[in-house]
Amino acid sequence: MLSQAFQPEAGAAMATRVTLSLRHESPVAYTLDFQGRTLLRFEDSGQRGRLPSIDPSPFCPFDTLRWGAPFALAPQGIVSLHASCVMKQDLAIAFLGVGGAGKSTLARRLRDRQWERLADDMMMVNDNAQVNARCEAVVHNWCEAQAGRLEVNYRELAEQLHKPNHQRWEPLGGLLFLDKTRGHEFRLRPLTSGECFHRLVKYGFGGLPTPEAWEHQFRIYGGLAGRLQAGVLQTPDGLDLLTAQLPQLEDCISQWLSDSEVTVS
């Protein structure tokens, strides 16, 4: 069983961190559960999904379908990471971590400093260490279009994501895993490719129903870990403290990505 933490849409009146689990019923059927309650049932290795009711309390259908998308798409060859991503001057950086770690908040703050936000919570990646900047919008539009349906077709979503006009691939420069610190300043610690791979598995969408899906996902993770620089970004307690240090953080990230030999702290 895999546990994964997500965040609801901004402004939702619920906890900022929602821990879900994936439970296998058979090699081709599995469920997304919350506290022992099934939120979404997958069939045909993720190609079809079924909600238990039109209003599956305690979450709205949009969030449930959005959270289920990575687990439905991975067996169909589409690999995602629970991450936000921003880009400036062809420099793309992804932030990964558990729900509530600050991924989306950091991306929004950098957007205010002229960084383009490529992903907020779900980042679609490929073999070439690229991110699809249009993935999240396609997923959100599809989830909204399913309103009022008990049965949904995730194969249709996969087909939409494969359309050329729903793709815009941007090269990733690095991966930063967010971690909290009790200090007042941020710290960036480089990771080896092996450490990066293990963290990608930890923060990725695992527990897939078939060995083929696992193999494909791990191949993507291995490619990212082998090609990209990775590090742990320890953020200070309090958003105000981090916001005040954004200019220094931008310089730090730029230097770190431009010189693999630099040690930053």
Side-chain angles (χ1 to χ4, degrees):
M1 179 179 292
L2 171 101
S3 293
Q4 184 60 272
F6 298 84
Q7 286 182 275
E9 287 293 276
M14 61 182 74
T16 58
R17 182 175 178 182
V18 179
T19 302
L20 308 176
S21 60
L22 202 66
R23 178 171 54 86
H24 292 195
E25 293 184 343
S26 75
V28 296
Y30 46 108
T31 65
L32 192 65
D33 299 343
F34 173 72
Q35 296 182 350
R37 177 188 303 180
T38 294
L39 300 180
L40 182 61
R41 187 176 191 274
F42 300 97
E43 298 176 345
D44 295 338
S45 297
Q47 295 188 56
R48 294 186 294 121
R50 181 177 178 82
L51 296 165
S53 68
I54 294 296
D55 185 19
S57 178
F59 309 114
C60 69
F62 174 84
D63 277 334
T64 299
L65 294 175
R66 179 174 64 95
W67 292 334
F71 301 105
L73 295 172
Q76 302 182 67
I78 297 175
V79 175
S80 305
L81 286 168
H82 190 199
S84 65
C85 183
V86 293
M87 182 177 72
K88 188 175 185 179
Q89 297 177 347
D90 298 324
L91 176 69
I93 186 78
F95 303 109
L96 300 91
V98 299
K103 302 182 298 298
S104 298
T105 299
L106 183 54
R108 284 194 294 269
R109 292 294 184 269
L110 288 172
R111 182 188 59 186
D112 295 338
R113 296 184 59 81
Q114 286 72 56
W115 288 71
E116 180 185 2
R117 189 167 59 171
L118 304 182
D120 182 62
D121 190 56
M122 176 183 171
M123 185 178 76
M124 177 178 163
V125 292
N126 66 8
D127 303 65
N128 297 317
Q130 296 174 315
V131 53
N132 181 5
R134 295 178 179 158
C135 167
E136 210 164 39
V138 174
V139 172
H140 283 204
N141 290 338
W142 180 85
C143 291
E144 289 176 350
Q146 307 309 306
R149 299 180 184 178
L150 286 175
E151 296 188 3
V152 296
N153 186 348
Y154 275 108
R155 181 179 177 83
E156 175 188 86
L157 175 59
E159 291 172 349
Q160 288 189 25
L161 288 167
H162 282 303
K163 291 181 178 179
N165 62 320
H166 287 165
Q167 297 182 26
R168 177 194 150 199
W169 295 100
E170 299 290 351
L172 278 167
L175 306 171
L176 283 177
F177 299 88
L178 300 189
D179 193 11
K180 294 290 185 181
T181 179
R182 294 182 179 179
H184 296 285
E185 298 180 352
F186 69 86
R187 296 180 182 275
L188 196 159
R189 175 174 64 84
L191 293 173
T192 66
S193 59
E195 291 173 321
C196 176
F197 178 79
H198 287 298
R199 284 178 177 260
L200 285 172
V201 173
K202 178 180 179 180
Y203 296 121
F205 299 99
L208 303 176
T210 65
E212 292 81 7
W214 273 105
E215 182 179 351
H216 178 65
Q217 190 172 46
F218 277 17
R219 179 169 57 81
I220 298 289
Y221 290 172
L224 293 176
R227 299 177 64 168
L228 299 177
Q229 288 184 247
V232 174
L233 177 62
Q234 293 180 306
T235 59
D237 285 333
L239 177 60
D240 291 341
L241 287 174
L242 180 61
T243 300
Q245 298 177 58
L246 281 184
Q248 295 92 329
L249 177 60
E250 289 180 275
D251 291 341
C252 176
I253 291 174
S254 298
Q255 180 186 11
W256 170 65
L257 289 177
S258 64
D259 185 356
S260 61
E261 300 300 323
V262 72
T263 300
V264 188
S265 64

